[in-house]
Amino acid sequence: MSIQRPHGAEQPCWPLGPFKIRLPFIHYRWEYPEMIQGLIMFVVGLAMIPLLQKYLGMPYEAALAFCVIAGIGYMLPALLGVPLVPGWITPAIPVVILFLQGFEPGPEAIKAMFALQIEVTLIFLILGITGLGNKLVTVIPNSLKSGIIIGAGIAAMMGELKAGGRIDNTPISLLVGSIVSAYVLFSLSFKSILERNTLAKRIANFGMVPGMILAMLVGWAVGEYPLPDVQWGITNPDFGLMWDYLVFSTGMPDTSTFLLAIPTALIAYVIAFGDIIVGFTLVKRVDHLREDEKIDDSVTRVHIVTAIRNAMHSFFAPWPGLAGPLWTAAHATVAERYALGRKAMDSIYSGGGTFWIVGFVALFMLPLVSVFKPVLPIALSLTLVLTAYICIMVGMEELKTSTERGVAGIVAVTLAMPDPKSTVYAVVIGLVLYFLIERPHRVGTRDADDVSILANSTDENEAADSHGRAHHK
């Protein structure tokens, strides 16, 4: 029996420095809907294996051991007091891949991945402790931020659509899965059906799971993927072999590699900070419906926990997905169930905590892992396709003027170029265009939007002055 939370109070915990320790069955109850989701959605974590094999040059058994390290990291946020369901910095994956393409798979790529991930660790740690994270993101021009997000989305989609890509090789299963997932998650018509259909509500509770399962079934049915060789027992991640793919064996990267990784690390942080904002926005949207629980939305704690996870990966499982503060689809699903009341979900921590504890246990369930092994590319592709849609949608929403849209478009196209240095080019071009075209000048011409605003302001001031003079007379 878990410790009961008084109405309107914060969920019980054990305070520990900047953290708030919460354990299942002690500080929160077990949530069965999230348990079912965890048994299926853990496959998305396994979907990083193809990237580990292709870009870091490691065998499946070592990559599976990396997934176990990642699974430990996924459980940390709920354990340490963060109310967000964690995942990767998914929109940054295409950018990270472009960075890794400049290195030979194997020791060189592993060194590069270590350099990138340790820089991401330090950014989160320093900006989290000092509280400078908010200031950094507000200083970056809106056009550059949006261009990076849109560019990451375009790069994700181009990676799937290119000749020889996964959609080219397995079009039927991935198109069916993408359409169904997008319909369930984003369709306005489906949202109208939710209001009057109980079955639709239940389907919506599982987010991208229905689309993923349907894509896998179609892939097997049409022969795009081989049927699984179902095995029984417990998985055996090869931690000994994993050691050969860590910096302890390959050696540390040189200074030039660290310097080359800086732009990608900064871009990853900007995207991740956007995820933090999205995550807490989703919480606040339902928080007013749950007066029974007070949620601690500490941005500093999110930064520190994310830094810890990235540090774990840096040394023990360099991870092209990086360790991100939010898995948007899973967190949105948890938030929607949380909004239904305390009977549906006791605490925001019980939903996210149950989800990833089960996801971690599932990594050792050989029947599940062997069933999903042939179709791991489906999980990765659906994640990237949906991420592309969300990135482009969010990035476009943030752009307010035609000048911002023009600069962001150039940044996005540059970032999506198939060049390992495209991240550097995108940042440099974005800053140059901002200062040359977008930024208002004290002296000289302004852009069309500024001129229009200035003209309207002048007309209003003149009208006010005339009215003031008439009143004075």
Side-chain angles (χ1 to χ4, degrees):
M1 187 70 178
S2 61
I3 302 173
Q4 292 300 305
R5 178 184 73 246
H7 186 86
E10 194 175 334
Q11 188 70 7
C13 66
W14 293 330
L16 181 64
F19 309 116
K20 295 182 177 180
I21 307 297
R22 293 185 175 93
L23 300 175
F25 305 110
I26 297 177
H27 299 108
Y28 60 80
R29 79 182 187 198
W30 195 251
E31 304 288 352
Y32 289 98
E34 276 64 40
M35 181 185 76
I36 296 172
Q37 286 192 65
L39 288 172
I40 300 172
M41 294 301 290
F42 87 100
V43 68
V44 175
L46 291 178
M48 190 55 58
I49 290 178
L51 297 185
L52 292 168
Q53 293 175 306
K54 181 176 181 179
Y55 294 103
L56 298 189
M58 63 176 56
Y60 175 85
E61 293 75 14
L64 183 60
F66 272 31
C67 290
V68 174
I69 302 298
I72 296 172
Y74 295 142
M75 294 187 291
L76 287 182
L79 172 68
L80 299 178
V82 174
L84 307 179
V85 180
W88 310 333
I89 309 181
T90 309
I93 291 177
V95 182
V96 174
I97 289 175
L98 286 173
F99 169 71
L100 290 177
Q101 285 176 347
F103 301 89
E104 186 72 23
E108 292 304 313
I110 291 168
K111 292 178 185 179
M113 193 63 240
F114 170 83
L116 172 60
Q117 195 137 31
I118 202 68
E119 287 177 358
V120 172
T121 299
L122 293 174
I123 292 172
F124 270 102
L125 187 62
I126 294 171
L127 297 183
I129 292 176
T130 61
L132 293 175
N134 288 324
K135 295 180 181 178
L136 175 64
V137 173
T138 54
V139 166
I140 298 174
N142 189 48
S143 56
L144 180 57
K145 287 187 291 185
S146 296
I148 288 171
I149 294 173
I150 295 170
I154 294 173
M157 201 67 194
M158 287 175 61
E160 298 303 306
L161 293 174
K162 69 181 180 181
R166 281 181 288 268
I167 291 182
D168 187 29
N169 294 327
T170 55
I172 300 175
S173 56
L174 291 183
L175 288 176
V176 168
S178 298
I179 291 170
V180 172
S181 297
Y183 182 74
V184 171
L185 291 171
F186 309 119
S187 172
L188 297 178
S189 63
F190 186 72
K191 289 181 180 178
S192 66
I193 296 173
L194 292 179
E195 299 175 359
R196 58 181 185 275
N197 191 298
T198 304
L199 178 60
K201 289 182 180 179
R202 291 178 180 176
I203 293 174
N205 282 339
F206 292 98
M208 62 184 288
V209 169
M212 185 179 299
I213 291 178
L214 185 59
M216 292 175 179
L217 293 176
V218 170
W220 286 324
V222 301
E224 289 184 341
Y225 290 95
L227 292 173
D229 177 18
V230 181
Q231 302 174 22
W232 301 95
I234 300 174
T235 59
N236 186 27
D238 196 332
F239 293 99
L241 182 60
M242 180 188 81
W243 193 263
D244 295 336
Y245 298 88
L246 303 179
V247 290
F248 305 109
S249 299
T250 63
M252 296 294 288
D254 55 24
T255 303
S256 62
T257 304
F258 280 106
L259 293 175
L260 192 60
I262 290 175
T264 304
L266 291 174
I267 287 174
Y269 175 77
V270 171
I271 294 173
F273 192 87
D275 283 344
I276 295 174
I277 295 173
V278 170
F280 281 126
T281 299
L282 290 173
V283 170
K284 290 176 181 177
R285 285 176 59 188
V286 299
D287 191 31
H288 69 282
L289 301 174
R290 291 292 303 270
E291 297 179 355
D292 59 285
E293 180 178 13
K294 178 183 177 182
I295 300 175
D296 181 4
D297 55 353
S298 170
V299 174
T300 296
R301 187 178 303 119
V302 176
H303 274 73
I304 296 174
V305 173
T306 306
I308 292 173
R309 291 175 57 216
N310 276 291
M312 286 173 51
H313 276 294
S314 299
F315 291 100
F316 300 108
W319 197 250
L322 301 173
L326 183 74
W327 181 2
T328 307
H331 181 69
T333 303
V334 169
E336 288 298 321
R337 272 211 346 108
Y338 178 75
L340 299 178
R342 192 166 183 175
K343 288 184 178 179
M345 184 182 295
D346 178 43
S347 167
I348 193 74
Y349 301 99
S350 63
T354 302
F355 180 89
W356 271 127
I357 290 173
V358 173
F360 178 74
V361 174
L363 290 173
F364 297 94
M365 300 172 68
L366 186 56
L368 281 178
V369 173
S370 60
V371 164
F372 289 126
K373 183 178 179 179
V375 290
L376 289 180
I378 290 179
L380 179 60
S381 288
L382 287 182
T383 300
L384 290 174
V385 168
L386 295 176
T387 296
Y389 178 88
I390 294 172
C391 285
I392 295 171
M393 177 183 66
V394 171
M396 294 295 289
E397 285 179 350
E398 293 299 315
L399 298 170
K400 308 303 181 186
T401 70
S402 59
T403 308
E404 282 188 350
R405 287 188 284 272
V407 174
I410 297 298
V411 172
V413 172
T414 305
L415 185 67
M417 289 171 54
D419 188 312
K421 295 182 180 180
S422 63
T423 54
V424 179
Y425 300 150
V427 172
V428 172
I429 290 173
L431 291 174
V432 170
L433 290 178
Y434 170 75
F435 284 106
L436 288 180
I437 300 175
E438 184 183 347
R439 187 171 181 267
H441 302 286
R442 294 176 182 269
V443 180
T445 59
R446 297 170 181 261
D447 63 37
D449 297 292
D450 293 325
V451 170
S452 175
I453 294 170
L454 182 62
N456 292 336
S457 176
T458 303
D459 292 341
E460 291 172 0
N461 289 338
E462 289 178 352
D465 290 342
S466 298
H467 177 75
R469 288 194 296 269
H471 179 74
H472 179 71
K473 289 179 180 178

